[in-house]
Amino acid sequence: MARTATDRSATVRRTTSETDITVTLDLDSAVSTPPATGHGFLDHMLDALARHGRIGLSVQGTGDLHIEPHHLVEDVGITLGQALNQALGDRRGIERYGSAFVPMDETLAHVVLDLSGRAHLAFEPEKLDVWGNAGGMTHYHLREFLRGLTNHAGITLHVRLLAGREAHHVIEAIVKALARALRDAVRVTSEELASTKGTL
């Protein structure tokens, strides 16, 4: 999709022998279509990302779910990251940084990010004892989703789990915190680039 100076949207399709995914992202619209990846909990998380991030998001895809969710979840993260990178363009005027705490019952997640152009993921939950899964999706699948997103969007992302053990609440709180942090970071608040280097 062509991008103009005022157009912060992108459509990316990624096709492999394992998955076929199309993502459309609009950073300045809250109009989304229900995600349809074939995995109910992943769709639920993508819907939460769009709603709490207040972005326009469409994710349509298929994957080898007869094996397990890994390839689908990872490739959705990669494709979303590519779309976000395209939609951000030269990143001029954006706030760049975002941070959010999100509670969900017994769970408390903290996400901090920098749209720096440099990919780094610090994912604390992998060091903790998180129980169970959500529709076959675990916190390890979430890590792979976030790894794909950060690597292809150029994000420095720190995820901390301050309380919580149950996978469903842990994953959902983290995704909602990511959405709120991203919402702040992509806001255009000036005409300047938020970097002393002159580039992001």
Side-chain angles (χ1 to χ4, degrees):
M1 174 181 289
R3 183 184 185 280
T4 68
T6 57
D7 176 24
R8 299 202 305 160
S9 66
T11 296
V12 175
R13 182 176 183 184
R14 174 182 169 85
T15 303
T16 73
S17 61
E18 298 165 339
T19 63
D20 184 359
I21 297 157
T22 301
V23 171
T24 296
L25 175 67
D26 189 335
L27 298 178
D28 299 312
S29 169
V31 178
S32 295
T33 59
T37 66
H39 191 284
F41 188 74
L42 176 58
D43 289 346
H44 181 46
M45 292 303 92
L46 292 168
D47 184 51
L49 183 66
R51 289 175 185 270
H52 291 270
R54 296 179 186 167
I55 54 177
L57 181 63
S58 170
V59 182
Q60 309 293 315
T62 58
D64 52 1
L65 289 173
H66 61 285
I67 297 175
E68 69 131 12
H70 179 105
H71 296 142
L72 177 67
V73 173
E74 179 183 28
D75 286 4
V76 167
I78 289 170
T79 312
L80 179 59
Q82 292 171 339
L84 177 57
N85 185 54
Q86 287 186 28
L88 285 169
D90 64 7
R91 309 187 187 210
R92 182 169 299 278
I94 63 170
E95 275 295 288
R96 177 177 166 178
Y97 298 100
S99 175
F101 290 91
V102 167
M104 188 169 184
D105 299 339
E106 78 292 344
T107 299
L108 178 60
H110 184 209
V111 170
V112 183
L113 62 82
D114 176 9
L115 300 177
S116 61
R118 299 186 304 276
H120 178 79
L121 173 63
F123 187 75
E124 184 182 271
E126 69 182 340
K127 302 174 184 176
L128 305 176
D129 184 16
V130 178
W131 304 330
N133 67 81
M137 184 173 169
T138 70
H139 64 298
Y140 292 111
H141 293 112
L142 176 63
R143 178 193 63 190
E144 294 310 300
F145 170 84
L146 295 176
R147 194 192 309 277
L149 176 66
T150 56
N151 285 343
H152 290 268
I155 301 173
T156 295
L157 178 64
H158 289 257
V159 178
R160 296 193 302 154
L161 184 62
L162 303 179
R165 290 287 183 86
E166 193 274 322
H168 186 133
H169 287 176
V170 166
I171 295 169
E172 189 161 347
I174 289 170
V175 169
K176 288 177 177 178
L178 170 65
R180 295 182 68 86
L182 187 63
R183 183 179 78 194
D184 288 343
V186 302
R187 286 187 304 126
V188 175
T189 57
S190 76
E191 296 181 358
E192 303 299 321
L193 198 64
S195 172
T196 56
K197 295 181 177 67
T199 185
L200 285 175

